[in-house]
Amino acid sequence: MSSAAPLSPLPRLSRDALPALPTHLLSPEWREPRIGIVHLGIGNFHRAHQALYTEEAMLAEGGDWGICGVTLQGDVGKRDALMEQQGLYSLVERGPAAVKVTVMRALREVLAMPVDRPALFARLADPAVRIVSLTVTEKGYCRDPKTGEVALDDPAIAHDLTHPLAPRTVPGILVAGLRARRDAANGKPFTVLSCDNLAHNGAALRQVVCSFARQLDAALADWIAAEVPFPATMVDRIVPATTDAERATAAGQLGYRDAAPVPCEPFRQWVIEDRFPHGRPAWDAVGAQLVDDVTPFELAKLRMLNGTHSTLAYLSMLGGFATIDAAIGDSAMRAFIHAMMTEEIAPTLSMPASFDLAGYRDALLERYANPALKHRCAQIAMDGSQKLPPRLLATIAARIEAGQPYRRLALAVAAWMVFLRAQADDGTRYEISDPLADRLTALSGSAHGEPRALMDALLAVREVFPADLAGHVEFRATLYRALQLLKENGARAAIAALQ
Ligand code: CS2
């Protein structure tokens, strides 16, 4: 995020400007709330999703649910850009036919770790903070994929275990905060709310946090296990990275300069497990679904949306489509994704009787086709080693279990493998951004483009492929055929062959 982009001589967006703004959400009852939520991972997604629901919930029913957002990457520039605007920023909703700009006010404070650690610790210790929520992406959880416990071989975790008062990781920060709560006079914890695209995200985070705490203090781990709620959620909204186009749109509509606007699609959905003994904003009053069991919604979203998103991303990086709308605008690609959802993914899901999976699929295809969003395939292609297991491999495992075919899902996995050569079919080069990038690109390089060697090398990466799947004879044969197809004919022909 650049706060210095010389867009125009307009004054900077600030709370003083609010009364003069034409499009903001201010209602007469709005009063500035106290901070009641700490959010780890103050990226675009949170600012377009949970922050908006929270703002609307406060407008509907009040409550002190102002947000303290934390950047974990030490992004002082992002903190300063938002704090110069006293936490204000605009949401630029891009529909196929219209753009809507709204100024958001629920964000009250931004902290950058590790420089602002004392301020963050003060917030975490404050009983007024009743929820700590997270969007830290898959890799932020520092999980050992084999056990689901915290990854003890992760150097950042090793650091936090030896320096528990100076943590850098998410488990380290949460455990330090929870320890302070346990040791405080009234001893009440906060609710920990995962908003990432992980299967069973609440339970997954609970296991990581408890296993981290157990390394330090068994009694603390027992207290967390007994007292701290970790509700599961399914979050959905397509939120691309900010470009100068959003800065220009926001400035044009507001008459003020916003260094930190967020683009997003009009659609949004939030399904939350209703387990908040310490209170929550009235999210249910503003469209969120509070339910007993999030699992079916979470799996449908991970497999239907994120699974096809990753498929589109890898096939597009090879085949030369820069954005999701360009990819889905190709008739063979659209037919391929439609068939993948209908024939291979949907049958793995057990939805409540009232849920219309075909309608869900059609709505997704329409969202992908939104020409105004310009969601870059390269952005979705990042962190494949983390994304593949819940998005594609779990679906393949379910198909194998049911004795059903999965050729298209296998092509998606093959496309990820070939993508690691960092070169499109036409020779254009691109970067690989992944926590395992060095290892994956070295393995890809050592295979010299040979499908068998590439498959053997990458299937041995246990962080991605569980041993039973990697050794499954039929899966290997299907994946090998997909790799051969990509090598011999390229991505576009492979899509056409399997559509
Ligand atoms: C995307 C998601 O970047 C990605 O990997 O698949 O961020 C996706 O846009 C959201 O989950 C939609 O809710």
Side-chain angles (χ1 to χ4, degrees):
M1 179 183 311
S2 153
S3 54
L7 285 169
S8 60
L10 295 174
R12 189 70 175 266
L13 181 61
S14 72
R15 292 205 180 237
D16 290 343
L18 285 174
L21 290 173
T23 46
H24 70 290
L25 281 174
L26 265 189
S27 70
E29 310 85 60
W30 177 266
R31 63 187 172 85
E32 299 299 1
R34 288 180 62 199
I35 288 174
I37 296 177
V38 168
H39 184 80
L40 306 180
I42 184 73
N44 277 7
F45 185 79
H46 172 75
R47 292 195 288 134
H49 189 273
Q50 301 103 51
L52 172 59
Y53 279 96
T54 301
E55 175 143 344
E56 289 181 348
M58 286 191 283
L59 283 170
E61 297 197 5
D64 278 314
W65 298 107
I67 298 168
C68 163
V70 184
T71 146
L72 296 172
Q73 278 83 37
D75 193 344
V76 176
K78 175 189 272 186
R79 176 196 65 186
D80 293 347
L82 281 162
M83 287 309 282
E84 274 168 42
Q85 304 176 179
Q86 295 122 26
L88 297 180
Y89 61 91
S90 39
L91 209 54
V92 182
E93 268 183 32
R94 294 196 181 278
V99 184
K100 183 177 158 219
V101 176
T102 310
V103 173
M104 301 288 302
R105 296 159 301 164
L107 183 65
R108 305 290 306 165
E109 177 180 59
V110 181
L111 302 175
M113 276 289 281
V115 283
D116 295 327
R117 189 182 286 119
L120 174 58
F121 276 20
R123 286 281 172 218
L124 293 176
D126 179 358
V129 168
R130 280 158 292 157
I131 295 174
V132 176
S133 54
L134 297 81
T135 45
V136 295
T137 79
E138 298 84 346
K139 59 180 181 271
Y141 287 74
C142 308
R143 291 171 84 206
D144 177 337
K146 288 179 280 273
T147 62
E149 310 236 308
V150 74
L152 294 173
D153 57 357
D154 180 331
I157 290 294
H159 168 276
D160 285 7
L161 285 172
T162 43
H163 304 88
L165 297 178
R168 300 177 190 151
T169 67
V170 167
I173 292 167
L174 289 173
V175 169
L178 288 167
R179 183 202 291 270
R181 290 300 181 100
R182 183 201 56 175
D183 295 344
N186 78 358
K188 268 203 198 148
F190 42 76
T191 298
V192 185
L193 187 63
S194 167
C195 298
D196 281 296
N197 291 317
L198 258 64
H200 313 297
N201 52 12
L205 178 57
R206 180 176 186 271
Q207 194 180 0
V208 168
V209 168
C210 288
S211 57
F212 181 95
R214 197 159 296 282
Q215 294 290 320
L216 293 172
D217 173 347
L220 176 61
D222 290 342
W223 182 81
I224 294 174
E227 300 295 333
V228 181
F230 288 86
T233 58
M234 180 275 252
V235 293
D236 190 7
R237 186 168 221 183
I238 296 176
V239 184
T242 301
T243 65
D244 282 341
E246 276 71 44
R247 295 190 186 93
T249 303
Q253 298 231 357
L254 303 175
Y256 289 87
R257 189 163 63 89
D258 179 359
V262 180
C264 60
E265 65 173 339
F267 179 90
R268 64 179 145 127
Q269 188 181 9
W270 197 6
V271 187
I272 312 168
E273 184 186 353
D274 199 0
R275 214 143 51 77
F276 293 84
H278 310 294
R280 60 166 170 78
W283 290 318
D284 49 335
V286 294
Q289 293 158 264
L290 275 292
V291 300
D292 290 337
D293 184 10
V294 173
T295 312
F297 301 95
E298 184 179 78
L299 291 185
K301 195 259 171 169
L302 268 172
R303 295 181 184 179
M304 294 283 276
L305 191 161
N306 297 114
T308 55
H309 239 185
S310 289
T311 303
L312 282 161
Y314 298 121
L315 287 169
S316 296
M317 292 304 287
L318 299 177
F321 299 108
T323 59
I324 292 292
D325 67 298
I328 211 70
D330 177 80
S331 60
M333 183 76 104
R334 188 186 171 91
F336 177 89
I337 296 292
H338 184 282
M340 182 178 190
M341 287 203 255
T342 313
E343 293 171 30
E344 298 187 6
I345 303 177
T348 70
L349 300 166
S350 330
M351 303 308 292
S354 58
F355 194 97
D356 171 14
L357 263 175
Y360 190 68
R361 171 202 64 206
D362 294 344
L364 285 178
L365 290 168
E366 212 173 307
R367 288 167 64 194
Y368 292 169
N370 180 348
L373 211 53
K374 299 286 167 261
H375 197 191
R376 289 177 55 249
C377 294
Q379 186 185 348
I380 301 166
M382 288 178 189
D383 293 352
S385 69
Q386 312 284 306
K387 292 175 176 175
L388 244 57
R391 296 179 176 206
L392 293 166
L393 303 183
T395 322
I396 290 176
R399 296 293 285 170
I400 291 176
E401 173 105 23
Q404 303 287 346
Y406 45 86
R407 291 173 308 146
R408 299 181 189 89
L409 289 157
L411 182 67
V413 177
W416 172 71
M417 291 182 161
V418 176
F419 157 83
L420 295 171
R421 74 185 178 201
Q423 196 170 358
D425 289 341
D426 71 1
T428 309
R429 299 203 63 87
Y430 49 77
E431 293 292 315
I432 304 293
S433 171
D434 192 296
L436 302 185
D438 291 348
R439 210 164 117 211
L440 296 172
T441 47
L443 289 171
S444 159
S446 67
H448 302 292
E450 266 314 307
R452 174 86 49 202
L454 183 65
M455 178 172 89
D456 288 344
L458 290 169
L459 284 182
V461 178
R462 274 299 153 269
E463 290 90 332
V464 181
F465 297 97
D468 51 350
L469 184 63
H472 194 274
V473 175
E474 181 201 82
F475 173 62
R476 296 177 70 92
T478 313
L479 183 60
Y480 178 65
R481 278 196 298 278
L483 285 164
Q484 269 185 318
L485 203 55
L486 287 173
K487 178 180 160 81
E488 282 161 21
N489 306 317
R492 293 209 187 197
I495 296 159
L498 293 184
Q499 67 184 2

